[in-house]
């Protein structure tokens, strides 16, 4: 092999100085000088390569003597250079030299450029040194290195996708607050990163690795954590959140009503799933139930129900247990109960009618009545006190009236009677009414009555001037003529202090019972008007007299010497002179 003189001119040295190795993120450049048996790097600056990137390196190979070949036994052989990765401190398999791996020296380093590309794996270590060797070979001995030089290469963090961990899968209940904690690693320590959570139900949050979220409804949700670096590289990770349905709860109020009224149940629903809709079943406790639908978001409700009766019978009130069951749209169930107290309402007697005309003894007497009861399912019993120590009791059907053909009673003794009706419902509450109209029972064979004399008229007897008192005189006769049903006679009464003179014009009835007599009729005062009167007398060891006069149209009392007593009360005012005689028929 022909040996060449190793002469480096000043000019060449200048070229060597000018051809500095330039290192940057996209490429590096170096110049290699050689002669036949020597090679060295002109500049010893290390090369830097990013993880996961390919880095083009421009190599200027310059034969100082302008002859990259030699002649051996008449054969021309070319020199060439082989690029290898040596172990250094790092694993050489992490660095790959792409084509070409062999370089031909150039005769003009300014125009003839050789280029190699070196690729660093993403897993290449960043804290070790890799050795890149460029060895001079020839085509006579292609596997032998004639001369070699190497340089250091360092791997820097590459621009690779961030590695993201969104955390473990979670199982929670709807309405619970779910906590998320994500992490990530990225090669570029100076990169900026954006963080975004997608919770799988349409909701998102940005800017934090620590987040919380509440799911409005049960279901299966895929949560995605996305990290994006400043170079647009994206890393994602997902986790699954299973949200269990939570059964709703319900509370309801009690109520207290009268029978046949509406009870109102007010209630509240609590459900962690705010998107749940509901169906409520109401069991009212009286063999009636109903179901009502309510939309999502319902938290309060009100429902009314009518109770026709307090059932069972025999009590003044009864309690009904109301059960409300709430079903959400995911099958969750909640139940509550309350008590509705239904009070019995006593019946009300509207009217009571008895005979107006006098009735002869032993003739039938009938009454009629209407009454009401808000308890439309109640049954009723009636009790009639006829006023002569006779009492009748019977059960009525569902009707709220008593007709004349349902009642009948015959009086055996003449007299003036008040009839009392009591209506009792099946729960024991009752109403009572006494007839305003007296029932007059007469006996034409009982005799007649006469009287004359005076009484002392007390305070409050003369209503126009209650302070007036003094002597009042009377005279009367009242009897039934043979075959008559209306008595005849004459009655006069005078209260001189009040300038009151009453004179009868007609009689309506006469009742004589033992030593007592009572009769009723009409007359005038001081010769004018039409007034009703009732006279009561007792023929006894001490005769007694009572006179009551009133305006029938207005019920205005004009005179009553027993003011405040009932109409059929016995006479109590003893006469001051004269006599009262009850004459018996012979």
């Amino acid at each position: 092999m022909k040996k060449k003189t190793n002469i480096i001119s000043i000019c060449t040295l200048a070229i060597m100085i000018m051809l500095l190795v330039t290192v940057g993120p996209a490429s590096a450049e170096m110049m290699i000088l050689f002669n036949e048996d020597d090679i060295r790097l002109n500049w010893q600056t290390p090369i830097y390569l990013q993880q996961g990137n390919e880095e083009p390196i421009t190599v200027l190979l310059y034969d100082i003597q302008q002859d990259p070949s030699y002649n051996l036994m008449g054969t021309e052989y070319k020199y060439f250079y082989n690029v290898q990765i040596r172990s250094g401190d790092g694993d050489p398999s992490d660095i790959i030299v792409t084509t070409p791996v062999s370089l031909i020296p150039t005769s003009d380093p300014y125009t003839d450029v050789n280029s190699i590309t070196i690729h660093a794996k993403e897993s290449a270590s960043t804290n070790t040194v890799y050795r890149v060797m460029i060895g001079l070979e020839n085509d006579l001995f292609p596997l032998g290195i004639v001369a070699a030089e190497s340089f250091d290469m360092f791997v820097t963090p590459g621009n690779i996708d961030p590695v993201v961990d969104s955390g473990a899968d979670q199982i929670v209940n709807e309405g619970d607050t779910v906590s998320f904690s994500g992490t990530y690693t990225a090669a570029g320590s100076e990169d900026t990163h954006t963080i975004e959570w997608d919770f799988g139900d349409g909701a998102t949050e940005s800017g934090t690795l620590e987040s919380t979220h509440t799911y409005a409804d049960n279901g299966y949700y895929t949560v995605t954590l996305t990290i994006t670096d400043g170079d647009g590289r994206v890393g994602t990770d997902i986790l699954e959140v299973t949200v269990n349905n939570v059964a709703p709860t319900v509370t309801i109020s009690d109520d207290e009503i009268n029978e046949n009224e509406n009870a109102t149940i007010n209630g509240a629903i609590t459900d962690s799933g705010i998107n749940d809709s509901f169906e409520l079943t109401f069991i009212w406790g009286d063999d009636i139930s109903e179901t009502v639908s309510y939309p999502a978001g319902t938290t309060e409700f009100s429902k009314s129900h009518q109770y026709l009766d307090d059932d069972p019978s025999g009590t003044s009130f009864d309690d009904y247990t109301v059960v409300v069951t709430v079903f959400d749209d995911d099958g969750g169930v909640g139940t509550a109960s309350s008590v509705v107290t239904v009070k019995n309402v006593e019946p009300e007697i509207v009217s009571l009618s008895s005979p107006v005309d006098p009735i002869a003894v032993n003739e039938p007497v009938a009454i009629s009545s209407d009454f009401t009861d808000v308890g439309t399912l109640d049954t009723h019993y009636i009790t009639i006190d006829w006023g002569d120590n006779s009492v009748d009791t019977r059960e009525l059907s569902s009707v709220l009236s008593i007709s004349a053909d349902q009642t009948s009673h015959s009086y055996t003794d003449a007299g003036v009677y008040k009839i009392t009706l009591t209506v009792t419902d099946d729960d024991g509450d009752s109403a009572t009414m006494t007839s305003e109209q007296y029932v007059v029972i007469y006996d034409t064979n009982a005799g007649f009555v006469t009287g004359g004399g005076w009484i002392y008229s007390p305070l409050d007897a003369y209503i126009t001037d209650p302070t007036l008192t003094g002597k009042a005189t009377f005279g009367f006769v009242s009897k039934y003529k043979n075959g008559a049903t209306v008595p005849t006679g004459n009655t006069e009464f005078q209260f001189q202090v009040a300038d009151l003179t009453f004179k009868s014009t007609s009689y309506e009835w006469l009742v004589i019972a033992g030593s007592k007599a009572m009769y009723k009729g009409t007359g005038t005062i001081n010769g004018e008007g039409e007034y009703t009167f009732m006279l009561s007398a007792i023929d006894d060891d001490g005769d007694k007299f009572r006179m009551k006069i009133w305006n029938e149209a207005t019920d205005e009392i004009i005179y009553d010497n027993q003011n405040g007593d009932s109409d059929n009360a016995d006479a109590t005012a003893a006469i001051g002179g004269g006599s009262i005689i009850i004459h018996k028929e012979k």
Side-chain angles (χ1 to χ4, degrees), residues 31 61 135 162 168 229 273 313 507 575:
M31 180 179 177
L61 301 174
D229 67 16
S313 301
Y507 288 172
I575 63 175

Side-chain angles (χ1 to χ4, degrees), residues 168-182:
D169 294 343
Q170 299 194 52
I171 300 176
V172 298
N173 293 327
E174 59 183 359
D176 287 351
T177 298
V178 186
S179 297
F180 299 97
S181 179

Side-chain angles (χ1 to χ4, degrees), residues 63-83:
D63 184 351
I64 296 175
Q65 296 182 352
Q66 305 295 314
D67 185 9
S69 64
Y70 64 93
N71 189 284
L72 179 63
M73 299 177 64
T75 302
E76 187 77 14
Y77 292 94
K78 294 286 188 181
Y79 287 103
F80 61 93
Y81 294 83
N82 186 274
V83 181

Side-chain angles (χ1 to χ4, degrees), residues 15-177:
I15 293 172
M16 293 166 54
I17 295 172
M18 288 188 293
L19 297 179
L20 302 178
V21 177
T22 304
V23 180
S27 65
E29 185 177 280
M30 68 183 65
M31 180 179 177
I32 299 175
L33 301 178
F34 70 93
N35 57 24
E36 291 179 346
D37 54 2
D38 188 21
I39 180 172
R40 66 179 181 276
L41 291 177
N42 189 311
W43 198 256
Q44 293 294 322
T45 301
I47 299 298
Y48 293 89
L49 188 62
Q50 285 185 324
Q51 287 175 317
N53 283 4
E54 291 184 343
E55 189 77 22
I57 300 176
T58 300
V59 182
L60 305 180
L61 301 174
Y62 179 56
D63 184 351
I64 296 175
Q65 296 182 352
Q66 305 295 314
D67 185 9
S69 64
Y70 64 93
N71 189 284
L72 179 63
M73 299 177 64
T75 302
E76 187 77 14
Y77 292 94
K78 294 286 188 181
Y79 287 103
F80 61 93
Y81 294 83
N82 186 274
V83 181
Q84 296 181 354
I85 305 300
R86 307 303 291 266
S87 62
D89 297 329
D91 184 353
S93 64
D94 287 340
I95 306 298
I96 301 171
V97 179
T98 59
T99 57
V101 296
S102 297
L103 306 176
I104 304 299
T106 180
S107 59
D108 184 354
Y110 297 103
T111 59
D112 300 327
V113 178
N114 292 279
S115 179
I116 64 173
T117 301
I118 298 177
H119 176 79
K121 294 182 179 180
E122 291 183 355
S123 60
S125 176
T126 60
N127 58 2
T128 59
V129 178
Y130 296 87
R131 301 290 291 175
V132 180
M133 185 186 76
I134 298 178
L136 176 64
E137 301 182 28
N138 59 50
D139 52 3
L140 178 61
F141 304 103
L143 299 180
I145 301 298
V146 176
E149 188 62 84
S150 64
F151 60 90
D152 292 338
M153 174 176 287
F154 296 91
V155 178
T156 62
N159 186 21
I160 59 177
D161 293 343
V163 178
V164 181
D165 183 1
S166 58
D169 294 343
Q170 299 194 52
I171 300 176
V172 298
N173 293 327
E174 59 183 359
D176 287 351
T177 298

Side-chain angles (χ1 to χ4, degrees), residues 350-548:
V350 178
S351 64
L352 173 60
S353 299
S354 58
V356 175
D357 297 329
I359 304 295
V361 292
N362 299 317
E363 293 294 325
V365 175
I367 65 171
S368 61
S369 175
D370 292 318
F371 63 93
T372 62
D373 195 333
V374 297
T376 56
L377 300 182
D378 283 353
T379 57
H380 300 88
Y381 298 84
I382 61 169
T383 300
I384 304 173
D385 184 344
W386 296 100
D388 63 348
N389 296 322
S390 297
V391 177
D392 289 341
T393 299
R394 67 181 59 189
E395 182 179 2
L396 294 179
S397 60
S398 59
V399 298
L400 299 178
S401 64
I402 304 168
S403 59
D405 59 358
Q406 292 178 293
T407 61
S408 180
H409 179 68
S410 296
Y411 291 90
T412 58
D413 295 318
V416 178
Y417 301 97
K418 285 276 192 174
I419 299 175
T420 300
L421 172 66
T422 300
V423 178
T424 304
D425 65 18
D426 56 7
D427 296 304
D429 288 323
S430 62
T432 299
M433 177 178 282
T434 300
S435 62
E436 294 183 0
Q437 175 68 42
Y438 285 100
V439 177
V440 177
I441 304 299
Y442 68 91
D443 184 354
T444 57
N445 298 319
F448 63 97
V449 62
T450 59
W454 62 273
I455 61 168
Y456 181 82
S457 181
L459 290 170
D460 298 325
Y462 182 59
I463 306 305
T464 303
D465 188 350
T467 62
L468 295 180
T469 61
K471 188 176 182 179
T473 60
F474 63 86
F476 62 87
V477 59
S478 180
K479 66 182 297 183
Y480 285 101
K481 292 183 178 181
N482 290 334
T485 58
V486 176
T488 59
N490 183 49
T491 299
E492 291 189 12
F493 177 81
Q494 187 176 37
F495 184 27
Q496 293 90 344
V497 176
D499 192 21
L500 170 68
T501 300
F502 176 83
K503 187 174 183 179
S504 66
T505 57
S506 66
Y507 288 172
E508 294 182 19
W509 48 261
L510 164 65
V511 173
I512 295 177
S515 63
K516 299 177 183 180
M518 180 182 291
Y519 64 92
K520 182 181 178 182
T522 59
T524 61
I525 294 177
N526 297 334
E528 297 180 349
E530 182 175 349
Y531 298 88
T532 301
F533 78 98
M534 185 179 293
L535 187 151
S536 300
I538 294 178
D539 179 6
D540 204 346
D541 291 340
D543 294 345
K544 297 178 179 63
F545 176 86
R546 179 187 182 184
M547 184 64 167
K548 179 179 179 180

